[in-house]
Amino acid sequence: AHAAVADKTGSWMLVFGGRNTSNTFGDLWQFQLASNTWTEKPRVGNQPWPIPRSGHTAQRNGDLVYVCAGADPTNVLLNDVWILETQNFTWSAVLPQSNPLPARVYHSAV
């Protein structure tokens, strides 16, 4: 399963990750509702980027999208958190200051 979020004006939607019958994805796509078009948002240079995953969650807060946990391509459960800045489509990992979140997959977030 992939994760998707929409912007507050309803003009675009982002989809990150997911899985089909043979691959787990770590790609980021933006759907523009006005033009009905998909655009892949590629990694720029060697900027940080989350590993491919499925069964994760994503939430938007302003210009930030938080991606949490899921399972990697070998079905190892993840407990990481990443933040995507939607103004420039750059990722940063969140490093916990205390005990990390227990690994999880196919969870919900609000």
Side-chain angles (χ1 to χ4, degrees), residues 37-62:
T37 57
W38 286 100
T39 305
E40 185 171 9
K41 298 297 183 180
R43 184 178 194 163
V44 177
N46 61 354
Q47 74 173 7
W49 195 278
I51 64 170
R53 67 191 61 217
S54 65
H56 53 290
T57 57
Q59 302 79 36
R60 185 190 56 78
N61 183 9

Side-chain angles (χ1 to χ4, degrees), residues 7-81:
D7 80 320
K8 61 185 172 187
T9 65
S11 62
W12 54 256
M13 175 181 69
L14 292 174
V15 173
F16 175 73
R19 180 178 286 179
N20 64 19
T21 57
S22 57
N23 295 301
T24 301
F25 300 102
D27 51 357
L28 177 66
W29 288 83
Q30 184 178 44
F31 183 72
Q32 294 288 343
L33 288 116
S35 61
N36 236 14
T37 57
W38 286 100
T39 305
E40 185 171 9
K41 298 297 183 180
R43 184 178 194 163
V44 177
N46 61 354
Q47 74 173 7
W49 195 278
I51 64 170
R53 67 191 61 217
S54 65
H56 53 290
T57 57
Q59 302 79 36
R60 185 190 56 78
N61 183 9
D63 292 334
L64 303 177
V65 174
Y66 297 85
V67 171
C68 180
D72 77 3
T74 63
N75 290 320
V76 171
L77 300 187
L78 303 169
N79 67 344
D80 57 348
V81 177

